Structure formats: C-alpha cells, structure tokens
C-alpha cells in the first residue's frame, strides 16, 4: 500500500474497488491501481463509492482537497495543545509530510480562526519572559518567525530591562555582592547567557557595588 496522501499517475480511468474505514479521519480507498488514504469528509463530499471511475484530473483534485483537510486537522490538534507561531506550525506540518499548498491552506485557515496569531504569540511570550534580556528574547522570537516589527513592539523598556537584570543578578548572587574579579566575571557570563546586553550588565554591576560603570 502506498503512503497516506500518495497520488497515482495513470493514463486510463482508475476504478475504485472498495472503501474501508482506516484511521479516525481517513478511509482507505482501494483501486485497480493501488490503495490510498483519503479524508472521510472529502470522501463523503465527493460521493466516492465502489465501482466509480475517476480520471487523473479528478483524482488530483480529490487528493489536494484531502491533503488540505488533513493538514488543517493535524494543525488544529497541535495548536490545541500549545501556543505556536505560524512558522512553527508550518514546520510541523512539513515534517509530517504535507505539501506546501496544503500547509499554506491550513495555516491560513487556522490564522483566520484565531488559532495562530504571531502578534498574540509575541505579546504572550514577552509577558512571560521575566529574567530574559532583550538579546535573548529577540533571538528566540526571530527563530520562531516573528517579524522584527512585532519583536520591537513588545520589547521591554530600558527601565524594565534594567530592573530584571538586577533581579537576575541578585538571584544568582543569593544576597551577596561579588567580592573579586572572578566572581564578577561569573556573574557577567551568567547575565550574558540570560540575554542582557553589556551596557545593562555594567549598570547592574555598578549598582551592586554602589559605584560608577566599570569594565569587566
């Protein structure tokens, strides 16, 4: 049996021999030229039945519609479990073997229904990113396909960034100030890993020591 969503190439009419239940959302269409999985709703809407003859063009349209339906259902299943960006959704569907046309159709519908929304994703991500600096949040959102404009819109203010950097430093130090150059270097590396920039880190080090900005 060929894989799900396989498309036969034939020059004569393909004859459906049998249609049987397969998975939850699909049926197995057995023909004189192979067996293929088709979405149940598409099968019903096209009134596929045993003995029916299909030309290649007819079959290609049925397969394309079935692929779009299955991609939508797989995407819906995914976004119902976790928030994701449009890029993450498309990458998931690509890994599942869906074609570009089916992926674009599914992503468009899910966005239209509000299941994926890069703007809301960026807002929610930033709201839950306490302790992460601007460099790290920007990098992570960019990897998820969020536009630079949305990243900038929801980025933290310099004041909030400084406050979160100071809080991260205090948690790392557990109430004590860095006593020597090695301690300051360890703190500096930790804050860099959290995604804070050099200027913000320098301000925090100065605040902890009660001094002016100093270099590491």
């Amino acid at each position: 049996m060929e894989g799900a969503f396989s498309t036969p190439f034939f020059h004569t009419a393909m004859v459906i021999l049998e249609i049987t239940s397969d998975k939850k959302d699909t049926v197995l269409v057995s023909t004189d030229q192979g067996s293929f999985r088709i979405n149940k709703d598409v099968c019903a809407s096209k009134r596929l039945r045993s003995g029916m003859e299909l030309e290649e063009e007819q079959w290609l349209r049925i397969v394309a519609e079935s692929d779009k339906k299955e991609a939508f259902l797989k995407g819906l299943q995914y976004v119902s479990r976790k928030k994701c960006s449009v890029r993450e959704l498309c990458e998931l569907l690509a890994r599942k073997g869906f074609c570009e046309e089916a992926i674009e159709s599914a992503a468009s519908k899910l966005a239209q229904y509000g299941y994926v929304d890069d703007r809301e994703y960026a807002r929610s991500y930033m709201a839950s990113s306490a302790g992460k600096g601007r460099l790290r949040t920007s990098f992570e959102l960019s990897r998820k396909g969020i536009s630079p404009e949305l990243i900038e819109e929801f980025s933290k203010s310099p004041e909030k960034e400084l406050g979160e950097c100071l809080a991260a430093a205090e948690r790392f130090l557990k109430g004590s100030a860095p006593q020597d150059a090695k301690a300051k270097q360890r703190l500096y590396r930790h804050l860099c890993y959290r995604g804070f920039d050099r200027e913000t880190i320098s301000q925090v080090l100065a605040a902890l020591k009660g001094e002016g900005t100093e270099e590491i």
Side-chain angles (χ1 to χ4, degrees):
M1 183 181 69
E2 296 186 43
F5 319 123
S6 295
T7 303
F9 295 94
F10 48 89
H11 300 289
T12 60
M14 183 181 75
V15 180
I16 296 177
L17 304 177
E18 185 181 20
I19 300 175
T20 56
S21 294
D22 183 42
K23 298 181 179 180
K24 179 181 178 181
D25 299 309
T26 61
V27 294
L28 186 63
V29 179
S30 301
T31 77
D32 61 345
Q33 300 189 42
S35 297
F36 311 92
R37 290 189 178 94
I38 295 294
N39 177 267
K40 284 182 178 179
D41 293 339
V42 173
C43 180
S45 69
K46 300 302 180 182
R47 300 182 180 180
L48 301 185
R49 61 190 182 280
S50 299
M52 187 176 184
E53 292 187 3
L54 294 167
E55 298 295 335
E56 182 176 7
E57 186 176 346
Q58 291 176 286
W59 180 254
L60 290 175
R61 288 198 299 268
I62 290 170
V63 169
E65 187 174 336
S66 178
D67 281 3
K68 290 177 181 179
K69 182 78 172 183
E70 286 298 302
F72 174 81
L73 292 174
K74 180 61 68 174
L76 181 61
Q77 183 183 56
Y78 181 66
V79 299
S80 67
R81 295 197 302 266
K82 61 175 293 186
K83 288 184 177 180
C84 69
S85 66
V86 173
R87 176 184 287 181
E88 287 178 306
L89 172 65
C90 291
E91 289 176 347
L92 168 80
L93 294 177
R95 290 195 298 271
K96 295 297 181 180
F98 291 102
C99 68
E100 185 176 347
E101 184 180 5
I103 292 171
E104 290 179 355
S105 174
S108 177
K109 283 187 177 180
L110 288 167
Q112 180 183 347
Y113 298 150
Y115 289 110
V116 284
D117 183 335
D118 279 357
R119 183 183 181 83
E120 173 58 25
Y121 184 88
R123 186 206 63 76
S124 177
Y125 174 89
M126 285 298 191
S128 61
S129 65
K132 291 184 180 181
R134 182 188 182 96
L135 296 178
R136 182 167 176 176
T137 55
S138 296
F139 174 73
E140 290 179 350
L141 284 175
S142 180
R143 287 185 60 190
K144 295 173 185 295
I146 304 302
S147 71
E149 293 76 18
L150 285 177
I151 292 174
E152 181 63 28
E153 179 179 347
F154 292 105
S155 287
K156 300 166 187 174
S157 67
E159 294 77 17
K160 185 172 183 180
E161 180 95 344
L162 181 61
E164 290 193 3
C165 186
L166 178 60
E170 290 173 339
R171 286 195 298 272
F172 181 78
L173 294 170
K174 297 180 181 179
S176 62
Q179 299 300 318
D180 53 36
K182 286 187 177 181
K184 286 191 290 184
Q185 288 170 0
R186 286 195 297 270
L187 174 59
Y188 181 81
R189 288 194 296 269
H190 173 72
L191 295 177
C192 282
Y193 172 76
R194 300 302 301 173
F196 296 102
D197 61 64
R198 184 179 180 84
E199 181 180 352
T200 302
I201 295 172
S202 295
Q203 291 181 56
V204 164
L205 289 173
L208 291 172
K209 293 286 293 183
E211 302 171 354
T213 302
E214 59 183 284
E215 295 292 329
I216 298 296

